[in-house]
Amino acid sequence: MSDDRSLPRSERLHSLGAVKRLFESGESGFVFPFRYVWYAEVDNENSVEVMFSVPKRFHKRANKRNLLKRRTREAYRLQKGILHDAQKGMNLDLALVYSSKEVLPYKNIEHAVRKILQQIVARM
């Protein structure tokens, strides 16, 4: 049973070539506390692949990095419908990079992720 609010492995961006292409030729932006990079190409299949990153440079302890990645994944998972509803024959890759030195509460992260997804939809 597949729920549309789940985040299956097929929606995770993990291909080295795709990640390289994303950071070399993707568009980027910043919504506190995230730097985001996205790359869209016209394709006959509708797919969205996403990756989450919390740099070790800002958070030395793995437990804090994992907490922030969990919060970001949850916020994206609950709001990914924004992208899927607006997607029209596009293949979209997205990277969310947490760029704050402080551990923000879930509500702030959720608001930022929603704003990022709305900006991407507006620019697609």
Side-chain angles (χ1 to χ4, degrees), residues 7-119:
L7 190 59
R9 195 163 181 83
S10 61
E11 292 183 17
R12 304 272 175 97
L13 183 64
H14 55 273
S15 162
L16 188 61
V19 171
K20 194 173 186 180
R21 180 186 65 206
L22 172 66
F23 283 101
E24 285 178 354
S25 55
E27 297 182 45
S28 66
F30 185 81
V31 173
F32 182 80
F34 292 102
R35 175 176 173 263
Y36 64 95
V37 183
W38 63 283
Y39 177 79
E41 62 183 0
V42 177
D43 200 350
N44 57 357
E45 65 179 74
N46 288 346
S47 72
V48 178
E49 291 187 357
V50 63
M51 69 178 282
F52 308 95
S53 175
V54 180
K56 198 174 191 177
R57 183 170 109 194
F58 295 133
H59 298 281
K60 304 291 185 205
R61 303 289 305 245
N63 61 346
K64 285 187 181 178
R65 291 195 304 272
N66 291 339
L67 171 72
L68 291 168
K69 279 193 275 190
R70 269 198 315 271
R71 287 180 180 174
T72 307
R73 273 196 305 264
E74 179 73 1
Y76 172 80
R77 184 183 69 79
L78 293 175
Q79 298 177 41
K80 70 179 184 174
I82 295 170
L83 287 179
H84 289 284
D85 293 343
Q87 199 180 22
K88 29 195 177 305
M90 301 286 275
N91 184 13
L92 177 72
D93 294 340
L94 171 65
L96 295 172
V97 182
Y98 191 89
S99 301
S100 173
K101 290 185 177 181
E102 34 187 86
V103 177
L104 294 175
Y106 173 75
K107 283 287 184 193
N108 296 25
I109 292 173
E110 180 185 35
H111 180 71
V113 169
R114 182 183 310 116
K115 198 169 180 181
I116 288 169
L117 297 181
Q118 289 169 345
Q119 285 181 6

